[in-house]
């Protein structure tokens, strides 16, 4: 998509060179985006009223984010298998949105506790807008697959076919597969006076089947569930020819209904409310309460019904009636349904249809130059803090190696760790188990309420307990979302603490796909702060004041507000002033209002957001000094960074918190102040690069519309910040990575 890059008037902005956050540089100077006093309008008193329509709706903003994902799938410049993957991601995102946000909204409307949003909309209006927008997007999504991605995959030898398109030989092969591996696990369920309408589990694919008894002539309805453990697409031949699994089942329904006439069949899919409600104050044992709630989750009310557009009206009416769903919540689409399965197709070994391969290298401050042995991370941290930027810096040779070295080191006495999400074969969990078995004190705070990872986290919590780790589940009423590791080591007569504070989960697999930052440090203040915080999380400590940390829910919001207000004062005093923020979402009204005040006072504000943004940039008299950008690409932008001019000294924080109510009020979140001037400068250059007009991104307008800017006025591609960082790493290593 070609868009002419818009350049804001009345705001001098010099674009810095691309930066790599982990590089060392000269101490930072005054930022290049500073607006000198007198260049903008006079400061507005903090008591002045702000307009009532100053916020964007969060649900529409989320849908706009998913539309940006869809645009990547529609973009012909995106590699073909990556387009298929973005189609899968779009569908998965929308599933979760309906399961949580739409379900929650419907629940509040049904119980009459819903109130108007900050934008002034009634809940029913919000729901109506969601359904209309989602329908349009799902139609675009299906068309992208049907008209472009599917046919282009076929041109490249990857054929996604329907049953009638298969050769006779392929159908025979799949019939054999059906008899051996599919038929034995199928369970057709009849519906008649003796058999009530069956429960339809959320996100499962189902066949609604109409059969007739040839003896009596009576017609009956039956449901066949597609077993979720089967592959979404079955290989018809080894020549990359695939067919949806439901097509194979549908072609052999006579095998399931022997002696009956199969009149018709239709594929459908139900999305249910799958958010959890655990009353922690009343639960004697949080683990047991959560396990019970996970069982109840399966029976949440439906919030969406997807059907193939060929379904006959009689069958549709039956489903709507039995599922107790409205026609507005029915989405008729061309088959196949559930394109989340395209993720498996995108995993094909076809490098020519994917982004160029990139393998992360070891951070240069941790790399051994003269030896092939693993680096001594403790020795490196005694020299300097190490600022990591994943996936450009290897997770396995930094954070994972840090914990593995701690587990194996006989001088390490204790390890304290938070786990929000991790992988099923996690080397992090293995390292903690090894440490406990070797006699070290190991404290693990497992957040078992991490949405949709509850089952996995319960499993790992029990495994850690069995190995001798002290496992706790945090504070009642609060999720523990912070990303922390603390290692206590005996060094001579003294104890030294080593720490890691990050923006991403301790998940080795997603660390190769998510963009995240982390600080490895032996700084005494950070170590003391983490000791105090872990004591609060595991015991009854009430400490709220920290040296280099801001911690939610007590001090994080107010800490950020204080710094934004200070930037206003700095600007009034003629000192360098700016605010730069990189987050996944920004919704919190108090923070947004503070940014509006800063803009009115003349302070330049840049916001780099991946997902939801309730802030309106570029509104005259309110936010003309605020720019909002969004970057989506091969890596999921996940880091959170907050930078302030601080009168020329520069202050930068990184950590786990997004600017949402749940993060600031209902979670344990941590930001750490970056002390090294070179690292602060590097992070500032990264933020400036990501929000520059010469960088490919989406720009948010004052009306909430996102516009993609991928090329300049002459049609030349704008700089891709992720590819720029990849190329920088390759040049540093002197190879192709």
């Amino acid at each position: 998509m070609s868009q002419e890059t818009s350049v804001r008037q009345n705001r001098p902005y010099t674009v810095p060179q691309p930066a790599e956050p982990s590089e060392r540089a000269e101490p930072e100077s005054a930022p290049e985006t500073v607006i000198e006093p007198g260049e903008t309008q006079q400061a507005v008193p903090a008591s002045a009223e702000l307009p009532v329509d100053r916020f964007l709706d969060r649900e529409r903003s989320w849908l706009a984010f998913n539309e940006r994902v869809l645009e990547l799938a529609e973009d012909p410049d995106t590699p073909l298998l990556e387009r298929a993957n973005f189609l899968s991601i779009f569908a998965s995102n929308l599933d979760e949105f309906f399961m949580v946000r739409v379900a929650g909204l419907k629940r509040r409307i049904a119980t009459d506790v819903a109130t108007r949003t900050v934008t002034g909309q009634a809940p029913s209006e919000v729901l109506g807008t969601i359904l209309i927008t989602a329908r349009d997007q799902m139609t675009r999504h299906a068309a992208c697959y049907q008209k472009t991605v599917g046919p282009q995959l076929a041109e490249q030898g990857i054929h996604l076919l329907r049953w009638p398109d298969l050769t006779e030989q392929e159908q025979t092969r799949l019939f054999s597969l059906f008899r051996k591996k599919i038929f034995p696990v199928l369970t057709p369920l009849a519906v008649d006076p003796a058999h009530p309408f069956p429960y339809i589990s959320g996100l499962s694919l189902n066949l609604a089947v109409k059969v007739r008894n040839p003896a009596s002539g009576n017609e009956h309805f039956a449901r066949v569930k597609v077993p979720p453990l089967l592959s979404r697409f079955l290989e018809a031949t080894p020549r990359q020819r695939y067919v949806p699994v439901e097509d194979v089942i549908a072609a052999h329904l006579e095998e399931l209904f022997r002696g009956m006439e199969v009149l018709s069949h239709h594929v459908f899919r139900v999305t249910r409310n799958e958010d959890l409600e655990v009353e922690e104050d009343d639960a004697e044992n949080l683990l047991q309460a959560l396990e019970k709630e996970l069982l109840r989750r399966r029976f949440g009310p439906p919030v969406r019904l997807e059907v193939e557009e060929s379904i006959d009206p009689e069958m549709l009416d039956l489903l709507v009636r039995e599922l107790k769903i409205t026609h507005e919540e029915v989405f008729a689409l061309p088959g196949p349904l559930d394109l989340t399965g395209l993720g498996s197709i995108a995993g094909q070994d076809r490098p020519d249809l994917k982004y160029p391969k990139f393998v992360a290298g070891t951070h240069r401050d941790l790399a051994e130059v003269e030896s092939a042995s693993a680096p001594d991370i403790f020795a490196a941290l005694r020299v300097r803090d190490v600022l990591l930027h994943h996936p450009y810096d290897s997770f396995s040779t930094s954070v994972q190696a840090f914990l593995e070295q701690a587990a194996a080191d006989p001088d390490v006495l204790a390890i304290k760790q938070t786990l929000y999400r991790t992988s099923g074969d996690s080397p992090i969990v293995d390292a903690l188990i090894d440490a406990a078995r070797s006699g070290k004190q190991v404290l693990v705070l497992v957040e078992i309420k991490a949405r949709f990872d509850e089952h996995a986290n319960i499993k790992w919590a029990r495994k850690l307990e069995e190995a001798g780790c002290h496992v706790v589940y945090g504070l009642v009423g609060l999720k523990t979302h912070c990303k922390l590791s603390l290692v206590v080591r005996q060094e001579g007569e003294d104890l030294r603490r080593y720490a890691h504070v990050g923006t991403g989960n301790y998940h080795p697999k997603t660390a190769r796909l998510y963009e995240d930052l982390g600080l490895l440090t032996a700084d005494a203040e950070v170590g003391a702060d983490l000791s105090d915080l872990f004591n609060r999380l595991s015991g009854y400590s009430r400490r709220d004041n920290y040296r280099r940390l801001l911690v939610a829910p007590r001090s994080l919001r107010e800490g950020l507000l204080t710094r934004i207000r200070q930037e206003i004062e700095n600007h009034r005093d003629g000192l360098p002033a700016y605010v730069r923020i990189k987050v996944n979402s920004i919704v919190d009204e108090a923070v947004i209002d503070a940014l509006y005040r800063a803009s009115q006072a003349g302070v330049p504000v840049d916001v780099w957001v991946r997902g939801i943004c309730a802030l309106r940039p570029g509104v005259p008299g309110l936010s003309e000094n605020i720019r909002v950008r969004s970057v989506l690409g091969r890596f999921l932008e996940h880091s959170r960074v907050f930078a302030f001019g601080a009168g020329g000294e520069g202050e930068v924080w990184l950590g786990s918190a997004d600017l949402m109510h749940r993060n600031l009020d209902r979670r344990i979140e941590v930001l750490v102040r970056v002390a090294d001037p070179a690292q602060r400068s590097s992070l500032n250059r990264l933020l400036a690069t990501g929000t520059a007009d010469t960088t490919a991104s989406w720009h948010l307008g004052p009306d909430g519309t996102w516009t993609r800017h991928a090329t300049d006025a002459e049609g030349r591609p704008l700089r891709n910040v992720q590819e720029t960082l990849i190329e920088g790493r390759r040049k540093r290593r002197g190879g192709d990575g």
Side-chain angles (χ1 to χ4, degrees):
M1 182 183 301
S2 176
Q3 296 288 345
E4 182 174 339
T5 304
S6 62
V7 180
R8 174 175 306 175
Q9 302 299 315
N10 304 320
R11 180 178 177 187
Y13 193 91
T14 304
V15 179
Q17 293 301 308
E20 297 180 323
S22 57
E23 73 181 36
R24 293 190 297 276
E26 295 301 315
E28 65 208 82
S29 57
E32 297 168 294
T33 57
V34 169
I35 298 177
E36 295 299 331
E39 292 184 354
T40 60
Q41 63 186 65
Q42 294 297 313
V44 177
S47 59
E49 289 294 326
L50 296 174
V52 295
D53 61 347
R54 63 191 183 274
F55 301 114
L56 297 171
D57 180 72
R58 65 161 290 163
E59 314 301 355
R60 293 179 66 180
S61 184
W62 186 93
L63 288 166
F65 151 68
N66 212 29
E67 184 172 7
R68 298 197 291 280
V69 177
L70 181 56
E71 286 185 39
L72 289 174
E74 294 171 331
D75 186 353
D77 291 332
T78 302
L80 186 55
L81 283 177
E82 306 294 352
R83 295 177 69 183
N85 194 45
F86 283 123
L87 287 175
S88 171
I89 292 170
F90 170 90
S92 179
N93 286 347
L94 199 60
D95 285 348
E96 184 171 334
F97 179 73
F98 269 89
M99 287 190 291
V100 178
R101 297 301 306 178
V102 176
L105 180 59
K106 284 192 64 179
R107 183 173 61 243
R108 293 193 297 275
I109 292 173
T111 55
D112 202 27
V113 297
T115 59
R116 287 187 177 270
T117 68
V118 293
T119 63
Q121 283 188 296
S124 57
E125 292 180 89
V126 175
L127 181 59
T129 299
I130 288 172
L131 295 176
I132 291 171
T133 305
R135 189 179 309 281
D136 291 342
Q137 290 184 357
M138 291 170 70
T139 300
R140 274 178 60 184
H141 176 253
C144 181
Y145 170 74
Q146 295 283 341
K147 297 179 180 179
T148 58
V149 173
Q152 289 179 22
L153 285 171
E155 292 174 4
Q156 296 296 327
I158 302 173
H159 300 271
L160 302 180
L161 307 167
R162 304 309 298 265
W163 183 261
D165 303 323
L166 300 176
T167 66
E168 183 177 346
Q169 182 181 12
E170 289 169 336
Q171 291 181 351
T172 300
R173 180 177 182 272
L174 287 172
F175 174 66
S176 176
L177 177 69
F178 173 83
R179 292 300 303 271
K180 292 179 181 178
K181 296 187 176 182
I182 299 177
F183 177 81
V185 297
L186 295 178
T187 305
L189 296 175
V191 176
D192 57 32
H195 301 87
F197 190 85
Y199 174 78
I200 310 296
S201 53
L203 301 187
S204 63
L205 277 173
N206 301 270
L207 291 171
V209 185
K210 184 189 294 185
V211 297
R212 180 167 57 207
N213 187 325
S216 65
N218 294 331
E219 295 182 358
H220 303 280
F221 169 84
R223 172 260 192 155
V224 179
K225 178 180 178 179
V226 178
L229 295 181
L230 296 177
S231 298
R232 180 70 189 85
F233 292 96
L234 301 177
E235 195 171 48
T237 68
R239 300 193 310 275
Q240 294 186 315
R241 288 169 61 84
Y242 302 90
V243 64
V245 62
E246 66 270 21
D247 278 19
V248 178
I249 296 173
H252 302 99
L253 287 173
E254 291 83 359
E255 299 291 319
L256 292 171
F257 300 97
R258 292 280 187 174
M260 303 290 282
E261 298 176 17
V262 177
L263 301 178
S264 64
H265 64 270
H266 306 279
V267 179
F268 70 98
R269 184 173 184 255
V270 175
T271 310
R272 293 185 176 275
N273 178 350
E274 297 207 16
D275 205 7
L276 292 173
E277 295 179 83
V278 179
E279 297 295 334
E280 296 181 51
D281 293 332
D282 299 328
E284 293 183 6
N285 185 303
L286 179 59
L287 195 64
Q288 293 178 0
L290 186 64
E291 288 178 313
K292 291 179 181 178
E293 183 62 25
L294 286 169
L295 291 175
R296 287 196 293 271
R297 170 194 270 180
R298 297 176 49 231
F299 301 98
V303 295
R304 178 179 60 164
L305 171 62
E306 297 170 88
V307 298
E308 287 194 316
E309 58 189 7
S310 58
I311 190 170
D312 68 58
E314 181 184 356
M315 185 69 75
L316 179 58
D317 287 342
L318 173 66
L319 292 174
V320 168
R321 183 174 63 254
E322 293 292 347
L323 291 169
K324 296 180 175 60
I325 202 165
T326 68
H327 280 281
E328 289 75 21
E329 296 164 319
V330 176
F331 296 81
L333 302 163
L337 303 180
D338 187 16
L339 293 182
T340 59
L342 288 175
S344 62
I345 300 298
Q348 297 279 317
D349 185 19
R350 289 289 300 272
D352 56 315
L353 302 179
K354 296 182 179 182
Y355 290 122
K357 186 177 180 181
F358 170 70
V359 178
T362 300
H363 188 287
R364 64 182 177 188
D365 289 342
L366 300 177
E368 282 283 342
V369 177
E370 299 178 358
S371 171
S373 62
D376 185 338
I377 294 181
F378 297 145
L381 297 184
R382 289 193 290 270
V383 176
R384 63 172 67 88
D385 289 356
V386 175
L387 179 64
L388 301 165
H389 196 189
H390 310 299
Y392 312 105
D393 295 318
S394 169
F395 179 87
S396 63
T397 60
S398 56
V399 179
Q400 180 180 324
F402 169 63
L403 291 169
E404 289 174 339
Q405 182 177 335
D409 189 335
D411 293 327
V412 168
L413 306 179
I415 301 174
K416 300 185 179 185
Q417 174 80 40
T418 63
L419 287 180
Y420 190 74
R421 303 184 198 274
T422 190
S423 60
D425 53 351
S426 172
I428 303 296
V429 172
D430 291 342
L432 296 172
I433 289 173
D434 290 344
R437 287 175 174 167
S438 66
K440 295 175 172 59
Q441 292 293 311
V442 179
L443 172 72
V444 187
L445 197 146
V446 179
E447 182 47 76
I448 56 173
K449 301 186 297 299
R451 182 177 287 151
F452 303 123
D453 273 345
E454 298 93 349
H455 279 298
N457 286 4
I458 288 173
K459 174 184 175 182
W460 290 117
R462 291 210 159 113
K463 183 176 180 180
L464 288 162
E465 284 180 323
E466 291 168 0
C469 298
H470 301 293
V471 178
V472 295
Y473 306 115
L475 303 179
V476 170
L478 298 172
K479 278 188 180 182
T480 304
H481 189 249
C482 49
K483 325 297 183 183
L484 309 173
S485 297
L486 178 66
V487 172
V488 182
R489 189 171 187 267
Q490 184 76 48
E491 298 183 358
E493 298 297 319
D494 300 319
L495 292 179
R496 188 189 292 266
R497 287 175 283 209
Y498 299 85
H500 173 262
V501 181
T503 69
N505 300 308
Y506 292 96
H507 197 304
K509 293 180 179 177
T510 59
R512 295 193 290 268
L513 302 173
Y514 286 22
E515 178 273 342
D516 272 303
L517 293 160
L519 184 70
L520 282 169
T521 180
D523 179 80
E525 287 189 336
V526 175
D529 279 348
L530 290 192
S531 288
D532 291 338
L533 180 56
F534 272 109
N535 287 341
R536 180 185 174 193
L537 294 174
S538 64
Y540 292 105
S541 172
R542 299 288 296 168
R543 184 183 183 100
D544 291 320
N545 298 317
Y546 299 92
R547 305 156 188 83
R548 276 182 61 183
L549 302 183
L550 292 175
V551 181
R554 295 297 182 97
S555 65
L556 202 155
R557 179 191 281 110
E558 186 54 39
L560 293 177
L561 293 176
T562 297
R563 284 158 178 81
I564 295 171
R565 290 191 288 263
Q566 185 60 51
E567 292 308 296
I568 296 175
E569 295 301 317
N570 291 340
H571 181 73
R572 288 171 177 164
D573 294 340
L575 299 173
Y578 60 85
V579 178
R580 294 175 182 148
I581 294 174
K582 182 179 187 294
V583 287
N584 294 282
S585 298
I586 174 168
V587 172
D588 188 74
E589 292 87 1
V591 174
I592 291 174
D593 280 351
L595 295 176
Y596 286 148
R597 299 288 186 194
S599 173
Q600 290 175 324
V603 177
V605 177
D606 278 314
V607 178
W608 178 353
V609 61
R610 186 185 87 234
I612 305 168
C613 182
L615 182 156
R616 292 183 186 269
V619 177
L622 177 69
S623 57
E624 63 261 66
N625 291 309
I626 301 178
R627 303 188 310 175
V628 178
R629 303 288 188 260
S630 183
V631 173
L632 281 75
R634 66 185 294 176
F635 303 133
L636 183 142
E637 294 288 332
H638 193 250
S639 65
R640 294 91 166 182
V641 188
F642 304 85
F644 307 94
E649 296 181 3
E651 186 175 332
V652 181
W653 299 75
L654 65 85
S656 59
D658 284 313
L659 297 178
M660 303 180 73
H661 305 144
R662 70 185 187 191
N663 299 91
L664 303 180
D665 296 324
R666 302 191 299 276
R667 290 184 174 185
I668 302 294
E669 303 276 14
V670 170
L671 300 183
V672 62
R673 178 169 51 81
V674 179
D676 183 85
Q679 293 174 350
R680 294 200 304 265
S681 180
S682 180
L683 286 169
N684 256 311
R685 291 198 307 278
L686 173 71
L687 295 178
T689 300
T691 55
D693 287 330
T694 52
T695 295
S697 63
W698 282 261
H699 298 191
L700 179 61
D703 62 348
T705 300
W706 290 89
T707 304
R708 191 177 185 189
H709 291 247
T711 60
D712 62 17
E714 285 72 42
R716 294 170 299 197
L718 295 174
R719 175 175 51 205
N720 182 306
V721 66
Q722 295 184 351
E723 294 303 322
T724 299
L725 289 166
I726 287 174
E727 187 59 29
R729 287 302 195 278
R730 285 173 172 160
K731 289 180 178 177
R732 177 186 297 175
R733 298 203 301 268
D736 295 331

